[in-house]
Amino acid sequence: MVVPRAGPLVTSSAPTRSVDEANLDQLRTDVREFLRDEIASGSFTPAVDSWMTGFDPAFSRRLGERGWLGMTMPTEYGGHGRSAVERFVVTEELLAHGTPVAAHWIADRQMAPSILAHGTPAQKSRYIPEIASGTMYFAIGMSEPDAGSDLAGVRTRATDHGDTWTISGTKVWTTGAHIADAMILLARTDGTPDDRQQGLSQLVVDLPHPDIEIRPIRSIDGQAHFNEVIFHDAVVDSTALLGRRGHGWQQVMGELAFERSGPERYLSTLPLLRAWSAHLRENGATDQQRTTLGLLTAQAWALRQMSLRVAAELAAGGKPDILAAMVKDQGSVFEGDLVSAVRTASGVTARRDGGTPLERLLAESVLHTPAFTLRGGTNEILRGIIARGMGLR
């Protein structure tokens, strides 16, 4: 299968001039050539939402071998000390080509920065090199049953016994827990659930664990990348504490800027847009179809500029929480709008089995659309964060 060039949607652009444009262009060319070879060899078939559902540890290891994981992490911990913009270029191309990056995605995107910011030297030495090599995978232990998007409604408890912690409770919608080597868990270490953001801490919990049960949650397409994780008085060492006891809420809020602002928040369905663009080049397009394609491309470009701004602020040590929430809110709406627009304008029938790549990608997109505005915080919650941050409520 020949993959069309991503075109103007993924051309080089940086929030600062600190990285030479020629180097960025060469990096992008290298990644594209690698991915074209991978597709030609049958290594993977481009898919939508692949950063959530495309688990392929072997592919993650190949990225690690090329230095395309752990790009911004310190060299002393196995990283590559490169810029946030260089990482952005690689991430864009991986998403644009629909690559199976789910195995390492959470670890590389937000768990490593969290450990680097708050972890002990032993934790950094233990986890960061393997994350950078694409051989260690993480899950996020935040959401809980009955709490919905109320992240502060934490009932999972970690009890301090001096040299150990005992953890009891349940986490849900835990992406990739079934293949994860570890989880960063948000638990209540002090007070009661009525204390809300107070008394919360984070712990790094190695998996699998004899007293931690992982149950798959199947989505409408039959896949099971979500999980329910139950802690049956699971005992972990005292060294599992990440950062300061009682500062879990503040740590999680910083972590969410990485989770909510990346290009995956508006590029999950880009493989569908590319496939439709290729279809129009081969078969011709009406004026209305060209207009729709142009509008979608312009929207994606605007979101890209917002996401690049967040990447620049994170690289500079800032806390762009409000802008990150905006990217996630508007990006997730755009992902769903893209599916509806292509479905209406293309006249193509979605087919899960058989058919053309465009028909298959459309079917995948339709089934994944309901999750776009829920994961990472519902849009209603995000808009509340934005309003408070702008002094509107």
Side-chain angles (χ1 to χ4, degrees):
M1 173 183 174
V2 177
V3 177
R5 289 181 64 83
L9 196 57
V10 290
T11 54
S12 294
S13 175
T16 70
R17 301 293 298 182
S18 60
V19 180
D20 184 79
E21 291 284 349
N23 290 337
L24 289 177
D25 288 340
Q26 185 58 55
L27 175 61
R28 191 179 295 279
T29 298
D30 292 344
V31 177
R32 286 180 176 177
E33 289 177 351
F34 166 75
L35 295 178
R36 281 196 286 267
D37 289 343
E38 287 281 307
I39 293 171
S41 70
S43 169
F44 71 91
T45 300
V48 299
D49 220 19
S50 58
W51 67 274
M52 283 284 287
T53 62
F55 293 96
D56 187 342
F59 184 81
S60 294
R61 288 193 294 272
R62 289 198 292 278
L63 292 178
E65 290 166 0
R66 288 178 171 267
W68 293 338
L69 299 182
M71 292 184 69
T72 62
M73 301 174 201
T75 55
E76 60 264 37
Y77 293 114
H80 303 283
R82 302 182 76 167
S83 70
V85 179
E86 289 171 295
R87 182 182 183 276
F88 197 98
V89 165
V90 172
T91 300
E92 276 190 315
E93 291 300 326
L94 293 174
L95 293 167
H97 285 80
T99 57
V101 293
H104 71 262
W105 195 265
I106 289 171
D108 186 68
R109 178 186 68 185
Q110 73 193 89
M111 299 295 92
S114 187
I115 292 170
L116 286 168
H118 307 294
T120 64
Q123 288 171 331
K124 295 174 186 178
S125 298
R126 165 73 176 87
Y127 297 109
I128 301 302
E130 291 188 63
I131 293 175
S133 67
T135 57
M136 174 166 283
Y137 316 124
F138 269 75
I140 305 171
M142 290 187 190
S143 300
E144 297 198 359
D146 303 320
S149 290
D150 181 13
L151 186 56
V154 174
R155 296 184 179 276
T156 296
R157 180 169 290 276
T159 303
D160 185 4
H161 300 290
D163 57 351
T164 61
W165 296 92
T166 299
I167 306 169
S168 61
T170 302
K171 296 293 180 178
V172 74
W173 311 121
T174 314
T175 304
H178 59 298
I179 66 157
D181 301 297
M183 167 192 290
I184 292 189
L185 174 74
L186 181 65
R188 184 161 298 285
T189 53
D190 301 280
T192 71
D194 292 336
D195 293 322
R196 307 289 294 161
Q197 294 95 336
Q198 305 302 313
L200 300 177
S201 304
Q202 289 185 300
L203 296 94
V204 186
V205 179
D206 290 333
L207 298 172
H209 188 290
D211 298 315
I212 300 177
E213 181 182 359
I214 298 174
R215 298 176 178 173
I217 299 174
R218 295 203 174 274
S219 54
I220 193 171
D221 61 0
Q223 297 188 61
H225 55 277
F226 290 131
N227 298 273
E228 181 181 38
V229 182
I230 305 169
F231 297 82
H232 299 287
D233 292 330
V235 177
V236 299
D237 194 80
S238 60
T239 58
L241 181 67
L242 178 66
R244 295 174 59 185
R245 179 170 176 168
H247 281 244
W249 183 258
Q250 294 90 327
Q251 292 173 197
V252 162
M253 289 300 101
E255 184 183 307
L256 286 175
F258 290 95
E259 179 177 346
R260 290 172 171 165
S261 65
E264 70 271 24
R265 293 306 179 185
Y266 57 92
L267 294 184
S268 292
T269 50
L270 184 63
L272 171 64
L273 185 62
R274 295 181 68 194
W276 185 44
S277 176
H279 175 81
L280 294 179
R281 284 200 299 272
E282 294 168 5
N283 298 282
T286 66
D287 289 343
Q288 183 58 50
Q289 288 173 329
R290 280 191 288 270
T291 298
T292 300
L293 181 63
L295 288 172
L296 291 171
T297 302
Q299 286 179 273
W301 184 262
L303 287 163
R304 181 180 189 270
Q305 297 306 107
M306 292 173 65
S307 185
L308 277 165
R309 175 67 180 274
V310 177
E313 291 196 26
L314 287 170
K319 295 183 178 181
D321 302 347
I322 307 306
L323 184 56
M326 289 180 179
V327 172
K328 199 280 178 186
D329 173 36
Q330 293 301 301
S332 60
V333 170
F334 167 73
E335 288 178 324
D337 288 348
L338 188 157
V339 178
S340 297
V342 172
R343 190 179 190 183
T344 300
S346 68
V348 169
T349 299
R351 301 179 191 277
R352 292 192 64 194
D353 300 312
T356 67
L358 175 57
E359 291 168 340
R360 177 182 55 81
L361 287 167
L362 181 57
E364 290 177 359
S365 300
V366 170
L367 293 175
H368 283 248
T369 296
F372 293 158
T373 58
L374 299 177
R375 62 195 185 194
T378 66
N379 285 33
E380 291 79 8
I381 293 293
L382 293 171
R383 290 166 189 172
I385 293 171
I386 294 165
R388 286 192 294 273
M390 298 179 69
L392 301 178
R393 49 180 292 196

